[in-house]
């Protein structure tokens, strides 16, 4: 902790030297590696984050889904998954341009984040498809959350674009089910 309140990362390198009287003198250097650590953290964040929406990307979502399935199985707790797809999204890009489409994606991501718990996990699955993982949540509660999200998305008026709707699928983890099967089932539930 630097005196100005900032965090500094230091790397220490030292070697011991034994003196004739048996004592040990350490000779070394301290290097400020703050910029390197910050760059590494930025690269790590970029690797797991969707650049447009700021939520986790598909690879990170898959990793977290595997982890949550293992945890739900170990503790015999429910786990539900919501997949949502923005209806006719390609028409938004076609009629209003990709910048307007990007803004719609960012806005809807924010709306969903504002209406889920901090323990829920929201990720971009691809294009205009997204996933919301609800740990320790059964199907009936997950369906209520999905309906709430559907209403919130449809109620928002996007400048220049108007209203956007979403289709949602909801599933609960079944016994002996893996992440691939769960994702396949929620995709089928969506359609």
């Amino acid at each position: 902790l630097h005196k100005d309140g900032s965090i500094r990362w230091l790397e220490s390198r030292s070697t011991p030297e034994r003196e004739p009287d048996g004592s040990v003198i350490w000779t070394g250097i301290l290097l400020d590696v703050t910029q390197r650590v910050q760059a590494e953290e930025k690269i790590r964040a970029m690797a797991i984050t969707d650049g447009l929406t700021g939520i986790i990307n598909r690879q990170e979502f898959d990793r977290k889904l595997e982890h949550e399935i293992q945890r739900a199985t170990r503790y015999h707790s429910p786990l539900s998954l919501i997949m949502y797809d923005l209806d006719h999204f390609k028409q938004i890009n076609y009629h209003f341009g990709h910048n307007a489409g990007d803004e719609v994606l960012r806005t809807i991501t924010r709306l969903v984040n504002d209406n889920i718990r901090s323990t829920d996990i929201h990720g971009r699955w691809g294009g205009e498809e997204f996933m919301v993982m609800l740990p320790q949540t059964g199907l009936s509660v997950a369906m209520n959350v999905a309906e709430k999200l559907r209403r919130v998305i449809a109620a928002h008026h996007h400048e220049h674009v108007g209203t956007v709707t979403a289709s949602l699928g909801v599933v609960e983890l079944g016994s002996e089910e893996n992440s691939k099967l769960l994702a396949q089932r929620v995709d089928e539930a969506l359609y």
Side-chain angles (χ1 to χ4, degrees), residues 29 34 54 85 94 121 133 148 153-154 171 181:
I29 186 170
T34 303
D85 185 359
Y94 178 75
I121 300 165
M133 188 182 340
K148 176 183 175 185
I153 291 168
V171 295
L181 290 173

Side-chain angles (χ1 to χ4, degrees), residues 36-140:
R36 184 185 79 200
V37 170
Q38 289 170 339
E40 290 168 354
E41 183 57 34
K42 185 175 181 181
I43 290 168
R44 182 191 159 306
M46 288 171 56
I48 66 170
T49 304
D50 175 61
L52 178 64
T53 61
I55 59 176
I56 62 173
N57 62 25
R58 184 173 181 162
Q59 291 76 22
E60 181 65 5
F61 190 90
D62 282 340
R63 189 189 69 73
K64 288 181 179 283
L65 181 58
E66 288 287 341
H67 173 77
E68 289 298 329
I69 287 174
Q70 289 173 3
R71 194 162 70 146
T73 302
R74 183 179 326 122
Y75 296 111
H76 307 288
S77 62
L79 172 68
S80 292
L81 198 57
I82 299 171
M83 180 181 220
Y84 69 95
D85 185 359
L86 303 183
D87 300 329
H88 313 293
F89 184 75
K90 287 174 183 39
Q91 294 300 315
I92 294 170
N93 282 336
Y94 178 75
H95 289 293
F96 302 102
H98 288 279
N99 288 341
D102 290 351
E103 187 55 36
V104 166
L105 292 175
R106 283 190 290 269
T107 299
I108 289 177
T109 299
R110 181 183 47 79
L111 289 170
V112 170
N113 283 342
D114 289 347
N115 285 279
I116 59 176
R117 304 171 300 188
S118 62
T119 56
D120 297 334
I121 300 165
H122 187 200
R124 188 167 182 193
W125 195 247
E128 66 275 6
E129 292 181 331
F130 297 83
M131 292 276 208
V132 179
M133 188 182 340
L134 302 130
Q136 299 178 349
T137 305
L139 184 61
S140 63

Side-chain angles (χ1 to χ4, degrees), residues 8-11 30-35:
R8 300 285 172 94
W9 290 91
L10 301 176
E11 182 178 292
L30 290 175
L31 300 171
D32 185 340
V33 294
T34 303
Q35 288 181 334

